[in-house]
């Protein structure tokens, strides 16, 4: 705003010289005259007759006129050499000696103030500031200026359209005026404004000025939003819009919300000063203010929306994914694995941010039917395909995210996520071999013995899914077997827990099952989860053992046939049926009783020489287990034929024997009086008859070649008469003899103390002997008869039974 300067110079002049020849001469010049200088203002009414006088311009009485005014002496034109607001001059014509020829003529050169007032200007906002200066000392009443509107023309639609702040000289629309401004005349309105010093006092110097106010149409109109491409490559600052405040003296002021690179020129041209980035800021709201010189808004600010238009300058960015994804094996096709997403910073909803997805990896395996993974190109959801995945597999999913909806030229990134296929316990453990055996175990195998080791495998990977439990399902009701295994191994040992027993169970069929410790997923275990172990129990017989390893005895070479030499017996603990046999009795001297093991001489030991040894091997066999056998040797040491024992025959009749036993016996003669049988060269042999009681009670021992000696075998034999059967072998013949013996209690002399037979009372020696002799005589008689008869008969048949062989007892 160009200040309206008013010069209060000699305002008092017209009052001091009221009689001055003319009223003030008032010349108005347009403010802001843009033409050439000098500007001829007016022709002064100079008197022609005083042309010889000199025209003097002065600022006032006694004051030199100032620039820029001058009076053209020829034409009398007052002219301004340059612009100034208002001037008060006085023109006098003086003679050379200084006499005033004409005048003084006061001249006020007053600027006409022009102002443009835009419709829409708010009331109270100054659009013109008057400034006045007073030559008086500042701060005194002389320089305390007051402004007043003296008149408004036209006075329509209101007489007080404007208001002037008295002290500041700020001209603004009055509130009333503002409401009626739109109906107001286009103007111009002319205001006469007065400035006066001395404050509010009535006195004081004053000056006036004219203000022409034209009302102009409002050009401060809302702006259409501006669309600016981001990354625009133009020279900056780049023009974007134009604002215009039609009122005068405007200062534009721009604000950006948020702050941005925008500027407004003094002419109201809006610029963007550098390229924009939509992703940093997509929209700005600019406000342009039209302000007066004091920074006050004439009206509401204009808003301008700047929209930054997108360019595809951002590639999709993969959303960071967490650690790898775990998918259990055997998950159904269609199971969502993950959703790989990529963000595109470009304008949402535009192709620039329209991201589609393509599965790069894994590629379908060659030859496989389906894909392992499927990708929905729009939702980016990765699901399982139909191709199966193996537990333990690590898959790197690579997905290409492309913007522009996948169109050519789109920007892309590759998103990756690791997928781990985790194991599921879907494999039941299985035995590698399901039929084991038969395993043969000896009956005496000790508890703890390993029967067999079974091995099972599990196709799962996870160690926990491979842990197995074993159990005996059937075949072991007695708990004879036991299973031992290490928890994390596939081996299980079938062991004996109790003793085997061939008698109760010669074989076993043990069914072992294996199962996972963890719960199995899917179909249950198949037949491979059981294994059958067949065990055969091997019977164990303790080896045969005889009570001696070698049996030795000394045998006189004279031992008669049939003599019991010794008895071979199994050792005590044996409870077996054993059969004995001789292995190499090459001489044929011996015979053995198959069951009892008694060894007898089979015949007389003809050819045996004293001092020789004869060894025969005996074999013992178990009748139930023919495989079991043992042997022992019989060693016979041959002795000289014993001398006839000096047996003291009993002093008494030797047909009785004392009980309790005394040391004598009865001589039994084997000699036959039959000359056919009497072969003196061959010895006789004697044995007791087969009656067990006889064998128990009696003892017969060889005496010499032809006689034997019969004694009591027991300490005590019931007294009585006995017929002791004695079998005699001689020259491959055999016969039996019944030897009558009386057993009685004896006195110290060895005499029978009791009467035997029919004797009454205390027996005497004589009666006893008599009885004995009588009895013997009777027997002898009978025997002779029998013998005679038999001897005759024998000539016809020598092989008659022993009973019928003639008997003979020595007397
Ligand atoms: C704004 O424009 C003005 C004038 O046009 C200039 O002087 C000023 O440096 C500009 N400011 C910026 C930040 O460009
Ligand atoms: C011997 O075996 C038989 C039959 O085998 C049996 O009856 C008997 O009691 C057993 N004796 C001993 C002492 O073992
Ligand atoms: C019988 O066999 C045993 C053992 O082999 C041997 O010592 C012995 O001399 C044999 N006896 C005869 C008579 O051959
Ligand atoms: C051959 C031999 O010496 N025989 C005698 C056996 O003993 C009886 C009884 O003493 C005698 O009578 C035999 O002569």
């Amino acid at each position: 705003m160009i200040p309206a300067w008013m010069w209060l110079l000699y305002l008092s002049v017209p009052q001091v010289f009221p009689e001055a020849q003319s009223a003030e001469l008032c010349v108005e010049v347009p403010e802001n005259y843009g033409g050439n200088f000098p500007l001829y203002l007016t022709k002064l009414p100079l008197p022609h007759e005083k042309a010889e006088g000199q025209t003097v311009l002065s600022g006032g009485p006694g004051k030199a006129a100032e620039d820029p005014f001058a009076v053209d002496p020829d034409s009398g034109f007052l002219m301004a050499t340059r612009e100034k607001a208002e001037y008060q001059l006085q023109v006098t014509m003086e003679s050379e000696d200084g006499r005033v020829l004409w005048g003084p003529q006061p001249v006020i050169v007053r600027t006409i103030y022009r102002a443009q007032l835009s419709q829409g200007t708010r009331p109270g906002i100054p659009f013109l500031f008057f400034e006045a200066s007073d030559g008086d000392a500042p701060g005194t009443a002389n320089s305390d200026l007051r402004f007043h509107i003296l008149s408004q023309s036209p006075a329509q639609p209101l007489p007080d359209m404007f208001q002037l702040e008295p002290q500041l000289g700020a001209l603004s629309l009055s509130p009333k005026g503002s409401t009626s401004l739109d109906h107001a005349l286009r103007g111009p309105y002319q205001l006469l404004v007065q400035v006066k010093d001395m404050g509010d006092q009535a006195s004081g110097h004053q000056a006036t000025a004219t203000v022409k106010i034209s009302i102009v149409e409002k050009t401060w109109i809302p702006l259409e939003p501006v669309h600016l491409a981001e990354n625009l490559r133009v020279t900056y600052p780049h023009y974007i819009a134009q604002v215009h405040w039609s009122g005068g003296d405007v200062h534009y002021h721009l604000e950006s919300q948020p702050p941005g690179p925008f500027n407004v020129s003094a002419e109201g041209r809006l610029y963007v000063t550098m390229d924009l980035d939509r992703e940093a800021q997509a929209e700005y709201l600019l406000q342009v203010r039209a302000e007066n010189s004091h920074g006050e808004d004439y009206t509401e600010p204009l808003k301008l929306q700047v929209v930054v238009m997108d360019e595809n300058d951002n590639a999709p960015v993969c959303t960071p994914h967490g650690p790898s994804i775990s998918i259990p094996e055997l998950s159904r096709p269609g199971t969502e694995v993950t959703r790989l997403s990529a963000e595109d910073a470009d304008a949402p909803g535009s192709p620039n941010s329209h991201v589609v997805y393509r599965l790069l990896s894994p590629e379908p395996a060659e030859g496989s039917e389906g894909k392992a993974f499927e990708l929905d190109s729009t939702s980016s959801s990765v699901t399982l395909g139909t191709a199966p995945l193996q537990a333990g597999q690590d898959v790197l999913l690579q997905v290409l995210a492309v913007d522009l909806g996948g169109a050519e030229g789109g920007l892309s990134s590759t998103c990756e996520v690791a997928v781990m296929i985790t194991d599921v316990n879907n494999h039941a453990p299985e035995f590698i071999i399901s039929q084991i055996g038969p395993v043969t175990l000896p009956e005496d195998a000790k508890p703890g013995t390993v029967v067999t080791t079974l091995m099972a495998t599990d196709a799962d990977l996870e160690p926990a899914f491979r842990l197995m439990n074993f159990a005996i399902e059937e075949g072991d009701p007695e708990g004879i077997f036991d299973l031992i295994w290490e928890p994390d191994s596939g081996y299980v040992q079938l062991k004996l827990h109790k003793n085997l027993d061939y008698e109760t169970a010669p074989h076993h069929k043990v069914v072992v099952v294996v199962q996972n410790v963890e719960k199995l997923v899917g179909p249950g275990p198949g037949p491979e989860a059981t294994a059958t172990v067949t065990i055969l129990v091997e019977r164990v017989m303790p080896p045969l053992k005889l009570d001696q390893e070698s049996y030795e005895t000394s045998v006189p070479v004279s031992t008669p046939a049939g003599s019991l030499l010794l008895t071979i017996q199994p050792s005590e603990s044996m409870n077996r049926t054993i059969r004995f046999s001789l292995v190499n009795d090459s001489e044929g001297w011996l015979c053995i009783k198959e069951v009892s093991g008694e060894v007898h001489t089979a015949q007389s030991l003809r050819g045996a020489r004293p001092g020789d040894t004869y060894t025969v091997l005996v074999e013992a066999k178990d009748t139930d287990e023919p495989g079991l056998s043992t042997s022992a040797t019989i060693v016979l040491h041959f002795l000289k034929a014993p001398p006839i024992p000096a047996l003291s025959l009993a002093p008494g009749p030797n047909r009785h024997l004392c009980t309790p036993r005394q040391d004598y016996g009865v001589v039994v003669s084997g000699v036959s009086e039959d000359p056919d049988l009497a072969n003196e060269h061959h010895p006789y042999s004697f044995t007791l008859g087969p009656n067990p009681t006889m064998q128990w009670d009696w003892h017969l021992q060889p005496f010499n070649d032809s006689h034997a000696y019969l004694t009591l075998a027991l300490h005590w034999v019931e007294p009585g008469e006995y017929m002791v059967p004695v079998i005699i072998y001689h020259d491959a013949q055999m016969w039996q003899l019944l030897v009558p013996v009386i057993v009685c209690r004896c006195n110290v002399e060895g005499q029978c103390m009791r009467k035997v037979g029919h004797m009454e009372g205390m027996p005497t020696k004589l009666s006893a002997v008599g009885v004995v002799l009588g009895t013997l005589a009777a027997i002898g008689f009978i025997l002779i008869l029998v013998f005679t008869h038999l001897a005759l008969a024998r000539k016809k048949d020598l092989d008659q039974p022993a009973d019928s062989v003639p008997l003979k007892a020595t007397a």
Side-chain angles (χ1 to χ4, degrees):
M1 180 180 284
I2 295 169
W5 284 97
M6 292 182 139
W7 293 79
L8 298 181
L9 300 172
Y10 296 99
L11 282 171
S12 59
V13 167
Q15 294 161 340
V16 174
F17 307 102
E19 73 294 342
Q21 53 267 72
S22 64
E24 278 172 352
L25 188 62
C26 193
V27 181
E28 288 187 340
V29 290
E31 189 191 19
N32 299 332
Y33 166 72
N36 295 329
F37 288 92
L39 169 68
Y40 289 88
L41 298 172
T42 187
K43 185 171 165 57
L44 295 171
L46 294 178
H48 292 287
E49 63 274 21
K50 295 161 184 159
E52 64 272 17
Q54 191 183 359
T55 314
V56 177
L57 268 182
S58 65
K63 210 169 176 212
E66 306 163 55
D67 258 1
F69 297 101
V71 176
D72 182 17
D74 297 333
S75 63
F77 262 97
L78 178 65
M79 59 191 181
T81 52
R82 55 187 178 83
E83 194 174 69
K84 213 173 177 190
E86 190 199 60
Y87 311 90
Q88 195 154 6
L89 307 169
Q90 61 181 2
V91 183
T92 51
M93 191 168 277
E94 296 172 356
S95 61
E96 279 174 10
D97 53 359
R99 242 178 346 104
V100 174
L101 299 177
W102 178 82
Q105 168 71 53
V107 178
I108 297 173
V109 180
R110 185 194 291 151
T111 306
I112 302 171
Y113 296 99
R114 292 182 190 281
Q116 278 192 349
L117 180 63
S118 174
Q119 287 177 337
T121 304
R122 287 194 286 196
I125 302 298
F127 57 91
L128 183 66
F129 287 90
F130 292 103
E131 285 185 35
S133 85
D134 190 292
D136 296 320
T140 63
N142 290 340
S143 63
D144 185 8
L145 304 181
R146 292 288 185 275
F147 296 89
H148 297 286
I149 297 172
L150 297 179
S151 65
Q152 171 197 321
S153 145
Q156 280 164 2
L158 296 168
D160 48 358
M161 296 276 287
F162 304 97
Q163 61 188 24
L164 183 57
E165 209 288 323
Q167 284 176 315
L168 295 178
L171 183 63
S172 61
L173 207 53
S174 68
K176 282 181 187 166
S178 89
T179 56
S180 56
L181 191 61
D182 290 349
H183 323 293
L185 303 174
R186 285 275 168 266
Y189 285 89
Q190 190 159 331
L191 300 184
L192 188 60
V193 175
Q194 181 204 52
V195 62
K196 185 181 82 62
D197 64 5
M198 298 298 282
D200 292 326
Q201 295 175 27
S203 61
H205 301 295
Q206 54 111 17
T208 60
T210 306
V211 182
K212 277 189 179 165
I213 301 166
S214 44
I215 311 291
V216 291
E217 211 171 323
K218 182 175 166 185
T219 51
W220 196 246
I221 45 176
L223 294 165
E224 288 298 311
V226 172
H227 289 82
L228 276 178
E230 60 175 332
N231 309 319
L232 198 59
R233 271 174 253 304
V234 292
T235 47
Y236 290 92
H238 173 64
Y239 167 83
I240 53 171
Q242 168 84 57
V243 294
H244 182 253
W245 176 253
S246 43
D249 192 23
V250 62
H251 299 267
Y252 296 110
H253 181 79
L254 183 141
E255 277 171 21
S256 167
Q257 190 59 43
F262 302 99
N263 203 353
V264 62
S265 71
E267 293 77 34
R269 288 168 72 82
L270 304 185
Y271 294 97
V272 57
T273 56
M274 56 186 281
D275 56 348
L276 299 173
D277 180 11
R278 193 203 66 83
E279 285 71 45
Q281 183 60 42
E283 222 180 272
Y284 295 89
L285 189 64
L286 306 186
Q287 287 198 344
V288 188
R289 301 173 187 280
E291 295 174 347
N292 67 12
S293 59
H294 282 58
E296 292 162 306
D297 285 358
Y298 283 120
T299 185
E300 295 299 320
L302 271 191
K303 290 183 177 167
L304 174 62
Q305 190 187 13
V306 175
V307 178
V308 186
M309 288 189 307
D310 189 42
E311 194 181 50
N312 190 23
D313 57 345
N314 286 282
V317 176
C318 300
T319 322
H321 215 284
S324 70
I325 297 166
S326 295
I327 292 289
E329 63 168 335
L330 302 179
S331 295
R332 289 171 188 285
T335 304
E336 181 164 279
V337 177
T338 184
R339 207 173 266 266
L340 279 169
S341 61
E343 298 287 334
D344 194 302
D346 288 321
S350 76
N352 293 345
S353 66
H354 180 203
V355 180
V356 296
Y357 302 88
R358 251 176 254 151
L359 187 64
L360 296 180
S361 165
E363 311 219 314
E366 256 182 55
S368 74
E369 286 286 306
K371 297 182 195 165
F373 294 95
E374 303 275 358
L375 173 73
D376 186 307
S377 66
T378 52
S379 74
S380 81
S381 159
V382 180
T383 52
L384 288 182
T386 50
L389 287 161
Q390 298 297 319
Q393 226 177 316
D394 284 336
V395 181
L396 183 66
L397 282 180
Q398 290 187 314
V399 170
L400 188 71
V402 194
D403 63 12
L404 293 186
E408 203 166 322
L411 302 173
S412 67
S413 323
T414 304
C415 309
E416 292 185 349
V417 64
V419 177
M420 230 174 62
I421 312 300
T422 56
D423 196 19
V424 156
N425 189 19
N426 59 326
H427 290 102
E430 294 179 350
F431 283 111
I432 290 177
I433 303 171
S434 61
Q435 293 291 336
I436 295 168
V439 177
T440 306
L441 272 186
E443 195 180 9
D444 62 353
K446 294 219 160 49
T449 304
V450 176
V451 179
T452 186
T453 300
L454 297 96
M455 196 192 162
T457 57
D458 190 306
D460 286 314
L461 291 178
E462 191 66 37
F465 299 158
R466 297 168 60 89
L467 292 183
M468 305 173 196
N469 272 338
F470 298 91
I472 294 177
E473 196 177 53
E474 56 183 77
D476 185 30
E478 309 291 332
I480 294 172
F481 299 97
D482 202 7
L483 293 170
I484 308 285
W485 68 93
E486 290 290 321
D488 51 353
S489 85
Y491 294 94
V492 60
Q493 286 186 327
L494 182 66
K495 284 191 169 181
L496 273 187
H497 183 55
K498 293 181 183 168
N499 285 312
L500 290 166
D501 184 15
Y502 176 86
E503 309 295 335
T504 51
H507 56 82
H508 298 269
K509 212 168 218 196
V510 178
V511 179
V512 180
V513 289
V514 60
Q515 58 191 26
N516 273 139
V517 174
E518 291 285 322
K519 193 176 179 300
L520 190 66
V521 175
E528 294 83 2
T530 58
T532 307
V533 183
T534 308
I535 298 128
L536 298 184
V537 181
E538 195 177 51
R539 184 171 204 175
V540 173
M541 303 297 287
L544 282 185
K545 221 173 142 197
L546 301 175
D547 62 346
Q548 294 178 29
E549 285 178 3
S550 179
Y551 295 83
E552 292 195 24
T553 187
S554 299
V555 186
V557 292
S558 59
T559 306
S563 304
L564 176 66
L565 301 180
L566 46 91
T567 302
I568 294 179
Q569 287 177 318
S571 66
E572 285 172 18
S573 57
M574 294 282 151
N575 185 16
R576 310 261 187 92
T577 22
I578 293 175
R579 296 287 177 270
F580 299 98
S581 60
L582 295 172
V583 177
N584 59 355
D585 178 23
S586 50
E587 297 291 336
W589 282 334
L590 305 178
C591 66
I592 189 162
K593 295 220 168 137
E594 206 187 16
V595 175
S596 69
E598 287 175 1
V599 178
H600 294 265
T601 47
Q603 53 177 325
S604 60
L605 307 174
R606 195 184 312 270
R609 285 175 299 169
D612 282 357
T613 302
Y614 183 58
T615 306
V616 175
L617 202 61
V618 178
E619 190 180 44
K621 278 193 179 173
D622 192 305
T623 48
D624 300 326
E625 291 285 323
L628 282 179
S629 68
T630 186
S631 58
T633 49
I634 303 171
V635 180
L636 296 183
H637 300 283
F638 293 122
L639 303 173
K640 272 194 279 183
I644 297 146
L647 287 174
S648 55
L649 293 177
N654 59 356
R655 277 295 168 258
H656 79 269
L657 293 173
C658 295
T659 185
R661 191 179 61 189
Q662 290 194 358
D663 193 16
Y664 51 84
V666 172
V667 175
V668 180
S669 169
V671 180
S672 170
E673 280 165 13
D674 184 341
D676 291 341
L677 296 174
N679 183 347
E680 297 303 324
H681 303 298
H682 293 123
Y684 297 78
S685 67
F686 306 84
T687 55
L688 284 168
N691 184 333
T693 318
M694 290 300 169
Q695 296 205 347
W696 194 253
D697 290 349
W698 301 92
H699 186 68
L700 191 64
Q701 69 185 95
F703 184 65
N704 60 21
D705 274 359
S706 55
H707 291 73
Y709 198 53
L710 182 68
T711 54
L712 286 181
L714 300 178
H715 183 69
W716 168 262
V717 174
E718 193 61 36
E721 293 178 26
Y722 295 87
M723 294 300 286
V724 181
V726 173
I727 293 163
I728 302 168
Y729 301 85
H730 181 71
D731 274 351
Q733 293 187 38
M734 182 186 80
W735 61 93
Q736 182 176 323
L737 205 64
L738 285 173
V739 180
V741 181
I742 293 164
V743 176
C744 58
R745 291 183 174 273
C746 294
N747 62 12
V748 262
E749 282 100 30
Q751 294 167 332
C752 254
M753 300 247 299
R754 263 176 72 177
K755 195 177 74 177
V756 195
H758 305 290
M759 294 179 78
E760 301 278 331
M762 283 295 288
T764 62
K765 258 190 228 177
L766 275 179
S767 67
V769 171
V771 170
V772 171
L773 287 178
T775 309
L776 286 178
I779 293 166
F781 175 71
I782 292 161
L783 285 177
I784 287 162
L785 288 179
V786 173
F787 178 77
T788 313
H789 170 74
L790 287 178
L792 293 173
R794 194 184 153 267
K795 287 195 171 95
K796 287 178 272 174
D797 185 6
L798 284 173
D799 295 334
Q800 279 182 332
D803 286 349
S804 59
V805 172
L807 303 175
K808 185 173 182 274
T810 51

